[in-house]
Structure formats: structure tokens, C-alpha cells
Amino acid sequence: MVEEYVGVRFAVVFESKEPPKDEKIEELIKWCRLYDELSLAPSYGQGSGGNLSFRTGAGFVITGTKTFLGTVRQEDLVLVEKIDWECDRPTIHVHGLKEPSSESMLHDALYKINPEVNCIMHGHDRIVMEHVEQLGVPVTKEERPYGSVALMEEVLSLMPTNYLVMKNHGIISMGKTIDEAGQLSLKYHEKALILDK
Ligand SMILES: [Zn+2]
């Protein structure tokens, strides 16, 4: 798996430089730390290979690009208010200090297509990917560059499912709540660890 950082594939408009405030932020941060502890989102040098988000009334709150999940703080989170798909390049309107995760378009599309989903977690769970066939989870057909529209389309083609693997890349886990999305990713991680013995 090669996932070199090449920068975000969209334009970002900062509506304000205010980091998001929401009562669920603490819970998201708890899961960010757990992803780091369990190596579900290993470092690629400039940040952790993974991104977590939850839906709010105003859009969704997501980890910023180049963020280390183990030491994430409120200032590393970004509120994505809306994405304008009509421009030459998708334009993301945000509130916060950082640029949003490079997978923000994917999160946005998944929230749109899954109205019952309120939390999305993406990690690079190596153990799950090594045992993906035995686990029987849906996998995208082709490897696509991260942050691309092609990757987004591959993932959307697997719907409906709350858990999937992006070929040679990582996992996506979704739930009605932050806890549900997190627990689902742990369930597959633990199953994979048993297969690994
Ligand atoms: Zn990734």
C-alpha cells in the first residue's frame, strides 16, 4: 500500500477560522486516540492514515488533514458546512483552522446516500486487509487514488453496507452513532486478529 501525501484534491473556502464546537467532539477524540493506540490509523509521516467524522445540524465535523490522531485536539477538527460540486474543482466550505481531511468528499457523499448514518470512520487496518477474504466483507474492485472521485464512486457502488474495505487502502466503518461506527470497526479488527494467530 503506497499512499503518499499529494495534497487535497479540492478547493477549500474558510467561512471562519473558528474550530467547531459540539458536545460530541470529546467522544470523537476518544475514538481518534483509540485508532492510534490500536494501529488502526498508522502514521504516514505527516499525520495518521485515517479520518473520523460525525454529522451535525450544520454539516459534519471531520479531522483535519495532516493530523496525528493520537494527539488530536479540538483545534485539529474542521466543520465541513457544504461542498459545492458544480465548480471546476469541488469546493469545500469549512469553519476551522486546518484544511479538512483529504477524504472529506467521500464522507460527504456517504452521508448524503445514507441518511441514517451519523458517524464515519476511515482507517488503514492492516490486519483486516490481510484477512479480508476470510472476513467476508465487501471490497472495492479497483485500487483508486485516495481523495479521488473514482475512489468515491467505487465505495458508493458497494452501498448499502456499514463496513467495507477499499482495496489495498483501508476500511470504512459507519453507524447511527459514534459508538456504533467505532464498535463495528473494532469487531472486524478483533476477528482479524484471531485469524492472524
Ligand atoms: Zn486512507
Side-chain angles (χ1 to χ4, degrees):
M1 184 190 61
V2 180
E3 194 172 3
E4 211 175 306
Y5 182 79
V6 293
V8 284
R9 291 180 169 86
F10 43 72
V12 178
V13 173
F14 286 92
E15 298 294 344
S16 82
K17 290 277 185 177
E18 278 289 302
K21 290 187 183 73
D22 192 287
E23 57 187 10
K24 295 201 188 84
I25 283 176
E26 218 171 301
E27 194 184 359
L28 192 81
I29 289 178
K30 187 194 87 179
W31 278 99
C32 287
R33 291 193 181 131
L34 197 59
Y35 262 49
D36 180 64
E37 263 171 55
L38 299 175
S39 293
L40 288 170
S43 165
Y44 61 83
Q46 293 180 293
S48 302
N51 34 74
L52 282 67
S53 77
F54 65 89
R55 196 199 289 269
T56 75
F60 60 90
V61 170
I62 190 163
T63 46
T65 189
K66 299 183 186 175
T67 292
F68 287 100
L69 296 183
T71 53
V72 67
R73 302 157 307 154
Q74 188 185 357
E75 298 78 55
D76 298 309
L77 303 178
V78 182
L79 170 67
V80 173
E81 199 173 63
K82 66 167 181 161
I83 300 187
D84 193 348
W85 294 89
E86 306 301 317
C87 310
D88 295 344
R89 197 153 67 122
T91 302
I92 307 200
H93 296 259
V94 303
H95 295 262
L97 293 164
K98 278 190 163 184
E99 301 225 330
S101 158
S102 50
E103 295 295 1
S104 292
M105 290 191 302
L106 177 59
H107 286 245
D108 185 66
L110 286 169
Y111 283 125
K112 285 212 171 84
I113 208 171
N114 298 293
E116 74 294 349
V117 163
N118 293 309
C119 177
I120 299 171
M121 297 187 183
H122 163 54
H124 298 170
D125 191 336
R126 184 186 57 81
I127 299 278
V128 162
M129 288 189 289
E130 277 171 15
H131 298 282
V132 65
E133 275 179 39
Q134 292 150 284
L135 290 166
V137 299
V139 190
T140 55
K141 282 196 191 72
E142 300 290 335
E143 187 177 350
R144 303 288 190 187
Y146 80 95
S148 66
V149 171
L151 175 63
M152 191 179 81
E153 283 167 355
E154 287 271 348
V155 170
L156 295 184
S157 74
L158 297 180
M159 295 296 117
T161 179
N162 273 355
Y163 187 88
L164 62 95
V165 164
M166 298 191 276
K167 191 176 181 182
N168 298 337
H169 177 168
I171 62 106
I172 289 190
S173 189
M174 308 193 288
K176 287 191 185 76
T177 62
I178 294 175
D179 194 62
E180 200 178 283
Q183 296 296 345
L184 185 62
S185 60
L186 288 193
K187 185 182 95 175
Y188 282 109
H189 184 69
E190 280 157 16
K191 277 188 182 179
L193 282 175
I194 292 166
L195 291 170
D196 209 48
K197 273 177 191 159

